[in-house]
Every structure is written in structure tokens, then in C-alpha cells.
Amino acid sequence: MPWLAVPYADETRRSRLNRLYGIQGIPTLIVLDAKGDVITRQGRVEVLNDTECREFPWHPKPVLELTDSNAVQLNEGPCLVLFVDSEDDGESEAAKQLIQPIAEKIIAKYKAKEEEAPLLFFVAGEDDMTDSLRDYTNLPEAAPLLTILDMSARAKYVMDVEEITPEIVEAFVSDFLADKLKPEPI
């Protein structure tokens, strides 16, 4: 490792950093700014996805396309996942654009309170990883399908409608955040 790292043998420092940043496993790469504020907790995923570091320092994107390398983030807390039929190349991008303003609004609201956003936002196309996720969570094959998955709570919330609109997404998120939705077990 040519970069600055905490030696594995330094248990005291590792333990303090684990508590400070909520680290639960290794390897972990957290990117900080000059003031010590977290830019991203997903440095490892970002390095794997951006090997030439073109997007460094990897400020979080409001909406991510669900991939094998970032699927680990589904375990970090509740995640809104909009499943789409990605055989149509434009559908995935249109889905991102549909939920991005809502994601940005939620992120900004919690950032103003100096809190982490209570949801991550994803668009999932059609691939083996998405099929495995649908199987694991027992979700129907419908597309579009709007869900909130909370893997740690082993719960899912599903909005199966013909057409997903910004109003539907916003109401779904608002109801979730207000604890108005009934969870289904995963």
C-alpha cells in the first residue's frame, strides 16, 4: 500500500477510527476532505468503479445505478430502488432523472441538519445481480417497480403501479419517512 494507512497492528487507533466512522469490516476506504469531513464512505467501491480516478474525490451521487460493485451499499440502511426494464437504454437514464430531484431534496434537507440522509437511491436494470436481488427479496418481475429495501431490518416496501411519476415517488418516500408504510418481510 503506497498510501497512508493505519497499521493493522495499531489496535488502539483502529478501534477509535472504527467507532468514529462506523467501520464494520475491512478493507474500508473512507475519503475525507481537508477539514476531516467525510466525502464518501464508499471509497473502495469508487476506486473499483473509477480506476483512473477521473471523478476523484468521489462526492456522492444522489442516484446510483445498481451494480455488482455497489450492491454492498444495500446493507447500509434503507434504499429506494426503482427497478426498470433496461433493455431500453434510455429507460434507466430516464428513471434516474425522475428520482434525482427527490433524492437531492432529501439529501439537502438532512445535510442542513448535519445528518446523513435516511435513504440511498438506486435505479436497477435487468442483469444477473438484479435478478438475484429480486429473488432474495421475493419481489415480482414487474417493471417499473418502486421499492424501499431495508436489508438490516429484513423489510421491504413495494409500490407496484403502472406508471411511476415524481409525485408517486415523493409520496412513497414521505410515507416511509413518516412510518406510514407497512413493511413486508424479506
Side-chain angles (χ1 to χ4, degrees):
M1 281 192 301
W3 55 84
L4 185 61
V6 175
Y8 188 78
D10 189 343
E11 181 66 33
T12 302
R13 241 189 322 173
R14 281 190 313 111
S15 180
R16 208 168 48 220
L17 288 170
N18 288 348
R19 283 191 308 276
L20 180 63
Y21 293 108
I23 298 169
Q24 297 179 348
I26 57 172
T28 296
L29 177 59
I30 297 174
V31 180
L32 307 174
D33 66 15
K35 297 184 297 183
D37 294 328
V38 174
I39 293 174
T40 182
R41 296 178 184 280
Q42 301 304 322
R44 182 171 181 266
V45 170
E46 297 295 352
V47 168
L48 292 172
N49 288 333
D50 182 21
T51 55
E52 295 180 13
C53 299
R54 290 187 177 140
E55 296 184 25
F56 180 81
W58 305 299
H59 290 279
K61 295 179 181 130
V63 180
L64 299 171
E65 188 157 339
L66 191 60
T67 64
D68 288 333
S69 60
N70 68 17
V72 68
Q73 291 178 268
L74 293 173
N75 295 314
E76 292 183 5
C79 299
L80 180 137
V81 182
L82 175 54
F83 292 88
V84 296
D85 178 4
S86 67
E87 289 177 14
D88 175 0
D89 289 340
E91 192 164 338
S92 183
E93 190 56 40
K96 279 187 201 174
Q97 290 177 8
L98 182 135
I99 62 176
Q100 181 145 341
I102 298 152
E104 288 172 344
K105 182 176 167 183
I106 296 291
I107 291 166
K109 176 182 175 183
Y110 284 85
K111 187 175 185 175
K113 297 192 288 187
E114 297 185 0
E115 296 177 14
E116 284 194 40
L119 279 172
L120 295 175
F121 294 82
F122 292 92
V123 170
E126 289 186 21
D127 56 27
D128 291 341
M129 195 278 306
T130 300
D131 290 343
S132 295
L133 178 61
R134 281 183 187 265
D135 290 345
Y136 178 75
T137 57
N138 197 27
L139 288 170
E141 292 296 320
L145 182 67
L146 183 62
T147 66
I148 293 176
L149 304 176
D150 189 345
M151 300 302 222
S152 60
R154 301 198 42 78
K156 65 183 177 187
Y157 307 83
V158 180
M159 173 71 68
D160 189 3
V161 295
E162 288 290 318
E163 183 180 356
I164 307 289
T165 65
E167 295 78 21
I168 286 173
V169 175
E170 194 151 11
F172 187 54
V173 169
S174 293
D175 287 350
F176 172 77
L177 294 175
D179 287 327
K180 292 180 180 178
L181 301 178
K182 182 175 167 63
E184 298 175 42
I186 290 180

